[in-house]
Amino acid sequence: MSISLILEGGGTRGAYTAGVLDVFAENNIFFPDTYGVSAGACNALSYISKQKKRNYRIFTEYASDKRYMSVSSLLKTGSIFGFDFIFGELANELLPFDYGEFFKSSMNIFAGTTDCETGKPVFFSKEDMKDDFTAVMASSSLPLVSHIVSFRGKHLLDGGVTAPIPIDYAIDNGSRKNVVVLTREKDYYKTKSDAPKFVLQRKYKNYPALVKAMMERAEVYNTEKKRCYSEQEKGNAFVIEPSQPVTVGRYCTKPDKLEQLYQLGVEDAKNKLIDLRRFIALNNF
């Protein structure tokens, strides 16, 4: 029985996940399948390519770069994230991504997106990334501040809308044991949708199923988070979450704040390392 890794999104709160994954890599802890959405999917790329500290440098050196993320980009291009820069100059020149290691690795990735027409989650594997990382870009394209991405005949947005913590998909895909990395503390639960319904209806008038999904986002998030802990109580999951309340927003550009969040991820992962190894030893057969 193999164990899968599940990564929540959360924009720049993904700095926490970057810290956790670097501890995993330092201790040679890898998983055959990783399920990630948004920042979780982005973090998974460097984890699978075994480029320790690459995600750390992205968050602490480039999150404040206007080419990476800015209001000016949103006003000029319609997207708050500079995906051309992120998957172009950043990935190819500034912090070169090891495509060779990524594609030769036996580890697979399932990047979650949301189908705008159906309002349902759609996941793409490494096989869908052979030409480019459009699937990961779609997974990270947040509603209202990003363009809808066309890929494989579908119109896609952020996977965090419909599968914010993709434990349901992983289990449905056959993963019975899972390690889950969250980017919010244990007692955090969403209380409302991210935007008023009339704003969403105006912006996405051609996608009523997407609007419905976004209005139900809080409920979906809370249900998936509760399942993570339910599975943990059954011995089927191991959850790592921030040990302190996270005050960093999804659009944080302050290097010191992101550094602190990364270090919290490192500390929390190290503190749970013995128990994690025990969970892996008991279930990895």
Side-chain angles (χ1 to χ4, degrees):
M1 180 184 296
S2 61
I3 304 171
S4 296
L5 177 64
I6 297 174
L7 305 177
E8 180 184 357
T12 49
R13 285 193 294 271
Y16 178 84
T17 304
V20 173
L21 295 184
D22 277 351
V23 172
F24 286 2
E26 287 171 3
N27 290 274
N28 199 34
I29 297 174
F30 296 98
F31 302 88
D33 295 318
T34 296
Y35 298 84
V37 297
S38 198
C42 292
N43 269 316
L45 298 181
S46 297
Y47 172 67
I48 292 173
S49 67
K50 297 184 178 180
Q51 291 178 273
K52 193 173 60 176
K53 283 278 191 171
R54 183 174 182 273
N55 287 326
Y56 166 80
R57 293 188 62 190
I58 289 174
F59 285 114
T60 59
E61 296 179 24
Y62 290 98
S64 59
D65 191 315
K66 290 185 177 180
R67 294 172 297 174
Y68 182 93
M69 177 177 62
S70 65
V71 174
S72 59
S73 174
L74 177 62
L75 295 175
K76 290 179 181 178
T77 69
S79 176
I80 196 168
F81 294 107
F83 287 122
D84 288 344
F85 170 72
I86 294 170
F87 292 101
E89 184 179 357
L90 180 59
N92 297 319
E93 298 176 26
L94 300 175
L95 291 176
F97 180 72
D98 193 338
Y99 293 92
E101 179 63 33
F102 177 81
F103 284 109
K104 80 176 184 181
S105 171
S106 62
M107 292 184 283
N108 202 356
I109 176 177
F110 297 91
T113 67
T114 294
D115 187 324
C116 297
E117 294 180 341
T118 66
K120 302 294 183 183
V122 178
F123 283 77
F124 296 96
S125 70
K126 186 191 289 187
E127 184 69 23
D128 299 300
M129 302 174 193
K130 285 187 174 180
D131 295 327
D132 54 42
F133 287 118
T134 300
V136 179
M137 182 176 72
S139 181
S140 308
S141 293
L142 304 178
L144 299 177
V145 294
S146 300
H147 292 297
I148 291 174
V149 177
S150 296
F151 185 66
R152 296 285 197 268
K154 299 181 183 298
H155 297 151
L156 307 166
L157 278 174
D158 174 31
V161 174
T162 51
I165 310 169
I167 188 167
D168 290 338
Y169 180 81
I171 292 174
D172 290 345
N173 202 39
S175 180
R176 295 292 176 260
K177 304 290 182 176
N178 299 285
V179 171
V180 184
V181 181
L182 303 178
T183 54
R184 289 282 200 176
E185 59 273 19
K186 185 174 183 177
D187 60 357
Y188 171 83
Y189 285 91
K190 289 185 180 293
T191 58
K192 60 180 180 179
S193 299
D194 295 335
K197 187 174 183 178
F198 76 91
V199 173
L200 298 175
Q201 289 175 325
R202 182 180 303 170
K203 175 71 173 179
Y204 300 113
K205 60 183 179 181
N206 295 325
Y207 301 102
L210 173 65
V211 174
K212 183 175 183 295
M214 291 185 67
M215 295 306 300
E216 296 173 349
R217 185 174 187 173
E219 181 181 349
V220 171
Y221 176 87
N222 295 339
T223 298
E224 291 188 339
K225 189 166 186 177
K226 287 176 182 176
R227 185 168 192 186
C228 291
Y229 290 109
S230 173
E231 289 293 309
Q232 181 167 252
E233 290 176 2
K234 297 174 184 176
N236 295 329
F238 188 95
V239 181
I240 298 177
E241 70 283 278
S243 57
Q244 303 173 16
V246 175
T247 59
V248 171
R250 68 172 58 201
Y251 305 117
C252 179
T253 59
K254 297 180 179 180
D256 59 332
K257 294 289 187 182
L258 296 173
E259 168 81 30
Q260 291 173 11
L261 188 56
Y262 170 86
Q263 294 299 338
L264 180 63
V266 170
E267 180 182 339
D268 287 346
K270 286 183 176 180
N271 287 340
K272 289 194 171 186
L273 202 53
I274 293 176
D275 290 337
L276 175 61
R277 288 191 183 281
R278 185 179 297 115
F279 175 80
I280 292 173
L282 289 173
N283 294 291
N284 204 3
F285 58 86

